[in-house]
């Protein structure tokens, strides 16, 4: 596993330690992390502070996203995929999509290269969280109980 996915996993674990949902993300440009974030919906009481959105906010204005790579421990949802497409981020590397399929087809249909690493560590983080927090998870993905 490369250093960038490792950093995204550390962000996910930080979110979990804060009482939030364990999803993390980093944005890489020219081989350097320029933004990092984790899901803060619970911590901030903000329904749109998903990991990828937090990561993009932390990166700030970067001008062109050409050549960037967005790493996320979980396949991005439509909200986050929309940001990827809007800003022209060319590549997304996801830790897994087994626990949540996300918006892979949407991103690919708009020219984004999407790689799913299918990492056991990422799947374990999410499965444990979902099992222990089903209502919070359903809220995060927009499913009514």
């Amino acid at each position: 596993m490369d250093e960038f996915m490792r950093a995204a996993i550390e962000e996910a674990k930080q979110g979990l330690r804060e009482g939030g949902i364990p999803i993390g993300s980093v944005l890489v440009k020219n081989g350097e992390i320029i933004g990092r974030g984790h899901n803060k919906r619970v911590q901030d009481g903000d329904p749109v502070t998903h990991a990828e959105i937090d990561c993009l906010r932390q990166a700030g204005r970067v001008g062109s996203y050409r050549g960037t790579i967005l790493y996320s421990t979980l396949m991005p949802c439509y909200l986050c995929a929309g940001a990827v497409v809007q800003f022209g981020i060319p590549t997304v590397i996801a830790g897994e999509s087994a626990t949540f399929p996300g918006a892979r087809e949407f991103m690919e249909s708009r020219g984004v290269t999407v790689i799913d690493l299918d990492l056991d560590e990422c799947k374990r983080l999410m499965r444990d969280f979902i099992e222990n927090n089903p209502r919070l998870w359903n809220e995060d993905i927009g499913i009514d109980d």
Side-chain angles (χ1 to χ4, degrees), residues 112-123:
V112 177
T113 299
V114 180
I115 299 166
D116 182 352
L117 298 177
D118 194 36
L119 297 173
D120 288 337
E121 184 172 5
C122 293
K123 290 187 283 192

Side-chain angles (χ1 to χ4, degrees), residues 40-80:
K40 293 181 180 172
R41 291 183 71 254
V42 173
Q43 299 92 312
D44 292 353
D46 181 347
V48 297
T49 309
H50 288 201
E52 299 85 349
I53 301 301
D54 185 45
C55 176
L56 292 171
R57 284 178 174 157
Q58 298 307 317
R61 294 180 59 211
V62 301
S64 173
Y65 289 85
R66 192 174 315 124
T68 60
I69 302 170
L70 183 70
Y71 286 77
S72 182
T73 58
L74 185 65
M75 187 64 68
C77 69
Y78 280 94
L79 170 72
C80 300

Side-chain angles (χ1 to χ4, degrees), residues 65-144:
Y65 289 85
R66 192 174 315 124
T68 60
I69 302 170
L70 183 70
Y71 286 77
S72 182
T73 58
L74 185 65
M75 187 64 68
C77 69
Y78 280 94
L79 170 72
C80 300
V84 166
V85 170
Q86 177 71 30
F87 295 121
I89 297 170
T91 305
V92 171
I93 299 177
E96 66 105 350
S97 63
T99 61
F100 180 72
R104 180 179 190 151
E105 290 178 12
F106 170 77
M107 290 184 288
E108 289 176 334
S109 75
R110 281 145 181 93
V112 177
T113 299
V114 180
I115 299 166
D116 182 352
L117 298 177
D118 194 36
L119 297 173
D120 288 337
E121 184 172 5
C122 293
K123 290 187 283 192
R124 191 170 32 258
L125 266 170
M126 288 310 303
R127 285 184 178 137
D128 290 349
F129 180 81
I130 293 166
E131 182 178 321
N132 292 317
N133 303 279
R135 293 188 102 174
L136 184 55
W137 173 242
N138 286 341
E139 176 189 317
D140 191 63
I141 60 174
I143 295 175
D144 290 330

